[in-house]
Amino acid sequence: MNTSRRQFLTLSAAIAAAAGTVGLPFRSAFAEGTIKVGFSQGTMNHPWRIAMVEVNRQYAKENYSDLELIVTDGNNDAAKQVADVESLIAQGIQVLVISPLTEQALTPVVRDAMAAGIPVLTLDRKVNTDVTCHLGGLNLPLGEGAGKFLINALPNGGGIIELQGTAGASATNDRHNGFKSVIEGNAAFKVIAEQNCDYTRDKAVKFMEDMVQRFKPGEIQAIYAHNDEMALGAVQVLEAAGRLEGVKVIGMDGQNTAFQAIKDGKMSACFIYPFCAPEGIQTAHKIAKGEAVDKEIILPTVEVTSANVDQFLGKGI
């Protein structure tokens, strides 16, 4: 087992103990023989999404000799992901696993798959139509947790910059709305700037470079980033400008570099969001074999701060 895979599985084990499931069981049955599963990933432009694909792929290779996994990469383009799913359907897949780039754009093709009798498993992000099963963490509480963390960490309040993920993605909406629901009720806090940076570090860096020019020292008290890549981009810019000290930076996902940044005092918190592996391929295999699965499978999330970061160092993605 290579080092990266060991780290992925160690992190998964560290947060999986509290996993819960809700919903109604679904059953489907296919003929004996090779099971063809299509896995449509919305984008592989950062480590978390690469981990989702690679850990599921490796687990399938090691454990399911009867399963053929076909993986596609939407390249952060909803239209391409729609075409990817249409191609997978044409190839005769028996189960569709999808982490949709955005809700609205992927809803019609997922609806088509379900109508054609192909069970659909959504990972992390959702669509606006019925699916066989959804598997992932809860994003709304993550946003709420980030807001509560800042209220406790900054008793005098302050200006916040919010680095949002991809516009229209369910995770982005929930992480924003959860945070907003906590912060907007506290007059001491104000989101002074926000931007969709597509969960990528380069876009976060570019935006933050503009922000350190726009806002004077002492006007930014916190950065709330919807993932670690953007949080680390903010750290990079603030540190280069000599303005990181005193600024609370929060990220999400669970990257090793984020854990180390917390240990080094450069980030204040990271909320681990499970990358749905190997639970994704395990659930897809169960569906294909006709085993019962819940309508929704909720994976646990964990808040990492300086108080517990030592437990997670070297165990992230």
Side-chain angles (χ1 to χ4, degrees):
M1 184 183 295
N2 61 43
T3 300
S4 296
R5 174 163 162 73
R6 186 181 301 110
Q7 290 172 342
F8 297 155
L9 296 183
T10 301
L11 177 61
S12 181
I15 65 176
T21 60
V22 297
L24 300 174
F26 173 91
R27 289 183 177 273
S28 63
F30 296 99
E32 293 297 324
T34 300
I35 299 165
K36 186 178 290 188
V37 174
F39 185 174
S40 171
Q41 176 62 282
T43 182
M44 291 180 67
N45 60 359
H46 53 80
W48 189 88
R49 297 214 158 263
I50 294 171
M52 180 192 287
V53 169
E54 293 305 324
V55 175
N56 277 312
R57 177 158 35 201
Q58 188 64 24
Y59 188 91
K61 180 179 179 181
E62 294 176 358
N63 294 277
Y64 301 135
S65 60
D66 60 345
L67 190 149
E68 177 188 354
L69 184 64
I70 307 170
V71 177
T72 61
D73 175 8
N75 291 328
N76 211 38
D77 182 335
K80 182 183 184 304
Q81 190 176 19
V82 169
D84 288 344
V85 174
E86 291 172 341
S87 175
L88 289 170
I89 292 172
Q91 293 177 63
I93 59 170
Q94 293 164 307
V95 179
L96 171 63
V97 180
I98 181 170
S99 188
L101 187 65
T102 62
E103 288 182 272
Q104 296 295 342
L106 275 299
T107 289
V109 75
V110 169
R111 186 185 295 122
D112 290 345
M114 291 286 289
I118 300 171
V120 176
L121 169 66
T122 51
L123 303 183
D124 171 40
R125 301 178 183 178
K126 298 182 177 182
V127 289
N128 293 325
T129 191
D130 186 56
V131 296
T132 307
C133 176
H134 173 74
L135 185 149
L138 295 176
N139 284 292
L140 195 70
L142 285 188
E144 294 170 346
K148 292 173 183 176
F149 177 88
L150 283 185
I151 287 175
N152 291 328
L154 295 169
N156 296 322
I160 305 166
I161 292 176
E162 182 177 358
L163 304 178
Q164 300 181 8
T166 301
S170 61
T172 301
N173 295 337
D174 285 350
R175 292 179 185 188
H176 168 71
N177 290 334
F179 184 74
K180 181 181 177 181
S181 70
V182 173
I183 293 298
E184 68 179 359
N186 191 316
F189 289 89
K190 181 180 180 181
V191 176
I192 56 177
E194 58 187 15
Q195 178 73 23
N196 290 108
C197 296
D198 286 335
Y199 294 106
T200 61
R201 190 181 304 204
D202 58 341
K203 291 184 179 180
V205 166
K206 185 177 185 302
F207 180 66
M208 284 302 302
E209 286 174 341
D210 292 339
M211 293 303 97
V212 295
Q213 296 298 319
R214 175 181 171 185
F215 296 103
K216 300 176 183 178
E219 293 184 332
I220 302 170
Q221 279 70 47
I223 307 294
Y224 167 47
H226 288 193
N227 78 340
D228 290 335
E229 280 292 285
M230 295 188 295
L232 291 164
V235 168
Q236 175 184 329
V237 173
L238 290 170
E239 192 170 32
R243 293 176 54 179
L244 180 59
E245 186 176 355
V247 178
K248 305 295 183 182
V249 181
I250 300 175
M252 294 182 177
D253 279 353
Q255 293 184 208
N256 280 321
T257 43
F259 297 153
Q260 189 60 53
I262 293 172
K263 181 68 175 179
D264 294 341
K266 296 180 180 181
M267 280 179 59
S268 297
C270 167
F271 290 78
I272 296 175
Y273 186 94
F275 45 86
C276 308
E279 296 91 348
I281 201 63
Q282 289 171 338
T283 304
H285 191 260
K286 287 179 180 178
I287 292 171
K289 299 294 284 186
E291 298 180 31
V293 300
D294 288 344
K295 191 74 172 178
E296 183 171 22
I297 301 174
I298 300 173
L299 302 179
T301 56
V302 177
E303 178 180 323
V304 180
T305 67
S306 59
N308 65 347
V309 69
D310 287 344
Q311 302 174 34
F312 298 95
L313 287 173
K315 298 177 183 177
I317 57 178

